[in-house]
Amino acid sequence: MNELLDESHPEGPYDRLSETPMPKLSNTELARFIDFIEKYEAETEDALSMSHGYREMRMMIHVMRNHLAGRLTTPTSLADSSGLTYGTAKRGIESIISRGLILSRPRTKSGKTVSLHPSRRMIEEWENYAARIKALLGDTLGLDPTSDATSRIVLDGPYQSSDVISPPAVLSQRLDLKGGLRVLMHADPTFMAMHNLKRQLEVIFGVSVSNKAKSIDSLREEILANAGFAHSRYDVITCNLPWFGELASQEMLLPLDPFIERDGYDLSDFHPVAIQSSRHAGKQYGLPVQTTPELLCYRKDILDSAGLRPPTTTEQLIRVAKAIHDPGKGLYGIAWNAARGTPLGHTLAFLMAKFGQPLINLPRIDGSYEFEHAAGDQLRPMFLSDAAFRACEYMLDILPYSPPTILQMSWYERARSYAAGEVGMAYTYTSLAPLFELNEASPAWQNTGYLPHTVGNHGRPFVPIGGYSLAIPANLSEERVESAWAALRHLTCRSMSKLYILNGSLVTSRFSVSQDPEVSALSPLIQTVDEMARKDLLQAWPRPPVPGITDLITIAGNEIFEVLDGRRSIKKALSMAQDRADRVMRDKGYY
């Protein structure tokens, strides 16, 4: 079993003499500290008549800098960095390895070529060293060492906290995967960040990484097609949370419980609803890699100038959308998913939830709905419910205050419209928030407020959860499973989740990542979602991961589109949707 080295000491690096926790540095600050020490060493060598032996400092700097940058270190490059003869440098490298500071990992099965990486111990020692030097600088500058004044000495950025997550460390052994790690992913900012980190992931895993990105519908089709092969073409696949019921019930995914129990793997840092959504019938089939709730975004400046308060009910939202709607000035009230098929089907599901009714006949438990063990009549579609009718009426109410292209809008289009300043409000998944949260050219930049979904009668505030978990195909060749599990753990660990965010994503499934000061400083959205998760506002039941849910969403999106397009009445469309859905669910044996 490959040992993952991704978690640092829970209370940070320790002063070995006093056993007092030392404050940790951000990854950016640590990188700047390494640059500082290199210059400091050069000045020391020039000014003092000292014998530096194997020049270990230079070699350690080289290994640490490459690790932080995701570059590969070889014995030759490390020897060159020391400025010593190769023989002398080789003895120095062997000495560092023997003390457990550098890991030597074979790059091939023969073991003739190796790569060198800092061990977790070495990373912690450098974090401790950086904290000590900062304290020394503070003392030299006359700052009171008994106060936290030295923590205000930063080498880069405004971050200083014991909650800073260390950069990801390499696996102690390279993955045993012939042909490298094969990952099927979704084409969104989080997974694009993963793709952009491909080089660094290859260093971490010790093998090549092949990423294949698909749009949401194409991703599901690829997963279903892959399940039909004798041996999976992918080691790790990305699953949209609502798909787990369908894929698990058809035995397309490998249960992870044996690995979780064997390794004592702790799931408590993940958002509970994301873990729950990756389960089916009491078994865990995936590990969350992103939690991306759908929120109501609104332009604070537009509402303030109109003297409007952010809406919390469906009636208030309609009034606000009407008040800010001004097509003559190129401003529309609200953007939402109204495109035919899957996008509009999701809208109906979430709007039904506003009025207190899931898309299917789920049993009510403790103010919510139970879906993990849903079966039989509990899977019956509820398109003929009062909530479904009211949801359609609500869509018709906001349609006049929507952009002219609303019937072609899906996830990306509505977020792009909001980012471009075309609408004053929009429903959007947080995974697309970088379009305006990280874009200074957007009129919505630093000008956006976030709310749970507005509620209708019989409803209560909630935030429908979206997102993805990573899973292992059930038909993966047995000899690849252990390495796939090791990769799965590392791709979803907190240090990697932080790295995705630092490279363009704004979503995570881990509480600890949201609390990292380097992460939370990027956008107020991160703390907003974290608070919603802690208040249990994030809910999966509006779009539950049960067998057949994808078919129901597609049917709803096609039938209700005829209502928006003016070709069918609400009552007729819902009746047709119910008939089609009942037939599909019965044909597949769900009830």
Side-chain angles (χ1 to χ4, degrees), residues 336 338 340 344 348 388-389 391-397 399 407 556-577:
W336 45 289
R340 181 190 289 273
L344 181 56
L348 180 69
F389 191 88
C392 292
E393 284 187 320
Y394 174 74
M395 284 189 258
L396 292 178
D397 285 340
L399 190 62
L407 297 186
N558 282 298
E559 297 298 337
I560 304 306
F561 186 83
E562 303 300 315
V563 175
L564 300 185
D565 210 24
R567 294 196 295 263
R568 193 171 294 159
S569 69
I570 294 176
K571 185 176 180 180
K572 181 64 174 177
L574 290 175
S575 178
M576 293 181 69

Side-chain angles (χ1 to χ4, degrees), residues 264-519:
Y265 189 64
D266 186 7
L267 301 177
S268 63
D269 188 39
F270 291 103
H271 293 160
V273 68
I275 287 293
Q276 184 186 22
S277 297
S278 309
R279 295 176 60 82
H280 178 69
K283 294 182 179 180
Q284 193 73 38
Y285 288 93
L287 294 183
V289 68
Q290 63 163 252
T291 299
T292 172
E294 182 176 281
L295 301 177
L296 175 63
C297 306
Y298 64 92
R299 285 277 298 278
K300 292 187 288 187
D301 57 332
I302 292 177
L303 267 64
D304 287 345
S305 65
L308 299 168
R309 300 184 65 177
T312 58
T313 68
T314 54
E315 291 82 2
Q316 291 173 4
L317 186 142
I318 294 169
R319 289 198 295 269
V320 170
K322 181 179 180 180
I324 65 177
H325 187 68
D326 193 349
K329 295 182 179 179
L331 179 65
Y332 305 95
I334 185 167
W336 45 289
N337 270 6
R340 181 190 289 273
T342 303
L344 181 56
H346 281 92
T347 296
L348 180 69
F350 295 161
L351 293 183
M352 285 177 62
K354 288 178 184 287
F355 295 99
Q357 174 62 58
L359 196 62
I360 56 177
N361 190 32
L362 294 177
R364 193 171 182 85
I365 296 179
D366 297 330
S368 185
Y369 295 89
E370 201 283 326
F371 55 79
E372 186 176 334
H373 300 277
D377 190 63
Q378 296 172 352
L379 296 175
R380 188 176 301 280
M382 299 298 291
F383 294 130
L384 297 183
S385 64
D386 178 68
F389 191 88
R390 287 177 176 270
C392 292
E393 284 187 320
Y394 174 74
M395 284 189 258
L396 292 178
D397 285 340
I398 62 176
L399 190 62
Y401 313 119
S402 305
T405 57
I406 188 62
L407 297 186
Q408 290 80 49
M409 275 194 175
S410 58
W411 297 276
Y412 176 78
E413 288 79 17
R414 62 182 182 175
R416 188 214 58 79
S417 180
Y418 180 79
E422 297 172 355
V423 294
M425 296 184 293
Y427 291 110
T428 187
Y429 278 116
T430 56
S431 59
L432 291 173
L435 290 174
F436 47 90
E437 278 290 331
L438 303 181
N439 178 13
E440 295 184 22
S442 170
W445 181 67
Q446 293 189 342
N447 223 349
T448 295
Y450 298 96
L451 290 172
H453 271 232
T454 54
V455 298
N457 61 323
H458 307 304
R460 62 180 59 190
F462 74 96
V463 177
I465 187 178
Y468 292 85
S469 285
L470 300 185
I472 300 174
N475 59 339
L476 182 64
S477 300
E478 186 176 353
E479 67 274 11
R480 302 180 71 90
V481 169
E482 281 291 349
S483 289
W485 164 243
L488 190 69
R489 284 185 56 178
H490 208 85
L491 289 170
T492 58
C493 75
R494 62 183 195 148
S495 56
M496 285 305 305
S497 182
K498 176 180 176 178
L499 202 56
Y500 303 149
I501 291 177
L502 296 181
N503 283 271
S505 173
L506 279 179
V507 295
T508 179
S509 293
R510 287 182 171 269
F511 290 111
S512 62
V513 177
S514 298
Q515 295 301 308
D516 183 294
E518 197 172 13
V519 169

Side-chain angles (χ1 to χ4, degrees), residues 546-563:
V546 298
I549 195 67
T550 303
D551 292 316
L552 300 187
I553 288 173
T554 301
I555 290 170
N558 282 298
E559 297 298 337
I560 304 306
F561 186 83
E562 303 300 315
V563 175

